[in-house]
Amino acid sequence: MAVITAAMVKELRVKTDAPMMECKKALTEADGDMARAEELLRVKLGKKASKASARIAAEGVVSIYVSEDGKLGSIFEVNSETDFVAKNPEFQQMAADGARLVAEKNPADIAALSALEVNGQTLEAIRTALVGKIGENMTFRRFKRIEAQGKLHTYIHGGSKIGVIVDMIGGNDEVGHDIAMHIAAMKPKALDASGVDAELLASERRVAMEKAREAGKPEAMLERIAEGTVQKFLKEVTLLSQPFVKDDKKSIADLLKQNGAQVASFVLFVVGEGIEKKSSDFAAEVAEQMAAAQKA
């Protein structure tokens, strides 16, 4: 039997938003297997135990650069401890310079990007100086460089908290902007079913089968029920299948077809996606939950 530590309980809580005692029960039942415990919580709690990837868990900005001809672009996330610093003009300029360097210099990774120069100073030196000046930690988190098959269209939302670049072949600027805006709103995981992670689909299938089993459905029907659930999930998380946010009577695939366009690829960054934000009241919550458990 695996030892269930407070750190494990906290990690599962951050991933799922489930109550602490439920997290402990799930980890115990799963013998310490974090992925299995998460599935057990999703079976029991449904959407309340959604993955943390949908939550914003850190501050900062997403910066986008696109060349004048719309053929080359980049998207770059820079994190800060507070939203106050994320609004600082020097911080935002550093992010913009980094995005431009990604597109123009094509660095291999964050370390290579940090070593590139802006006006005689490396990006890392600019970051270090800004940290010293403001007194708050800042990090270069991730970037993506895109060479377009068609033309790049962008959308920034929420004070640079969400950034989207879409490579669209055909169509026009209005359609490209609408598609980028839709992605920011609906946050698809992939262009179509072929781009969805196989393990994610396997997890959805297992959860669906367990829910059906707990609901008393016959074993012979479980596979069919699970497949229907997976197909519904794919429709919700793949761009081409999603209902268009401005007109839900048509899908994104319909919109593209009507305008003689197709999406070659897209990139979506949400600031702090998947990063655990510091919680000042976790200890108080633990104490409260323990007191409630003892009282019960």
Side-chain angles (χ1 to χ4, degrees):
M1 178 69 70
V3 176
I4 309 302
T5 66
M8 293 168 67
V9 174
K10 180 178 179 181
E11 180 182 350
L12 185 59
R13 171 167 164 67
V14 168
K15 286 184 174 182
T16 64
D17 282 335
M20 189 190 71
M21 296 307 292
E22 294 295 340
C23 291
K24 185 175 181 180
K25 290 177 184 177
L27 282 164
T28 301
E29 185 176 343
D31 197 25
D33 185 322
M34 190 66 64
R36 177 58 181 156
E38 190 173 336
E39 288 185 5
L40 289 171
L41 283 173
R42 290 185 60 211
V43 170
K44 185 171 184 179
L45 303 177
K47 291 185 178 180
K48 290 183 180 179
S50 60
K51 291 190 175 181
S53 60
R55 297 169 53 225
I56 295 178
E59 303 302 338
V61 297
V62 173
S63 188
I64 290 176
Y65 172 86
V66 173
S67 61
E68 288 186 11
D69 63 4
K71 290 292 186 180
L72 178 64
S74 63
I75 184 168
F76 179 39
E77 179 183 349
V78 184
N79 295 126
S80 59
E81 292 182 46
T82 64
D83 188 52
F84 177 77
V85 169
K87 294 175 181 176
N88 179 285
E90 291 179 88
F91 180 86
Q92 294 182 349
Q93 184 60 54
M94 177 176 66
D97 287 337
R100 176 180 55 80
L101 287 171
V102 168
E104 294 179 351
K105 303 298 184 181
N106 194 20
D109 51 29
I110 290 293
L113 171 61
S114 299
L116 295 176
E117 292 189 354
V118 179
N119 299 325
Q121 275 190 302
T122 65
L123 202 62
E124 175 59 22
I126 294 172
R127 184 196 70 83
T128 302
L130 201 53
V131 168
K133 178 180 179 180
I134 295 178
E136 181 172 311
N137 190 31
M138 305 164 198
T139 58
F140 303 142
R141 187 185 181 201
R142 55 179 173 166
F143 63 79
K144 180 74 174 179
R145 183 176 184 269
I146 306 98
E147 294 183 13
Q149 296 182 41
K151 181 180 179 181
L152 297 178
H153 302 269
T154 68
Y155 184 76
I156 289 284
H157 181 74
S160 299
K161 298 300 182 187
I162 301 173
V164 178
I165 298 184
V166 180
D167 178 6
M168 191 176 76
I169 302 168
N172 54 53
D173 289 345
E174 182 181 356
V175 174
H177 178 269
D178 280 349
I179 297 291
M181 182 184 65
H182 171 96
I183 292 169
M186 302 307 293
K187 299 179 179 59
K189 295 182 181 296
L191 181 62
D192 55 30
S194 66
V196 179
D197 183 72
E199 180 51 40
L200 179 59
L201 293 181
S203 176
E204 290 295 322
R205 183 172 278 104
R206 287 193 297 269
V207 168
M209 290 184 71
E210 287 300 320
K211 283 184 175 180
R213 187 174 285 116
E214 289 196 359
K217 301 296 183 182
E219 285 290 324
M221 293 179 61
L222 296 184
E223 286 286 351
R224 188 171 61 186
I225 292 172
E227 183 58 29
T229 300
V230 167
Q231 291 305 313
K232 181 181 178 182
F233 172 74
L234 285 171
K235 186 175 181 180
E236 292 172 351
V237 303
T238 54
L239 176 62
L240 297 181
S241 297
Q242 288 180 333
F244 179 34
V245 72
K246 291 174 68 174
D247 181 0
D248 60 11
K249 291 181 173 58
K250 67 175 73 172
S251 68
I252 293 297
D254 294 333
L255 176 67
L256 290 167
K257 185 176 181 180
Q258 288 172 8
N259 289 275
Q262 65 182 87
V263 172
S265 65
F266 71 88
V267 182
L268 165 67
F269 278 6
V270 178
V271 167
E273 186 177 39
I275 299 176
E276 178 182 347
K277 182 183 261 185
K278 292 180 181 177
S279 175
S280 59
D281 62 348
F282 183 75
E285 181 185 347
V286 170
E288 183 181 344
Q289 293 278 359
M290 289 181 67
Q294 289 174 355
K295 192 174 182 180

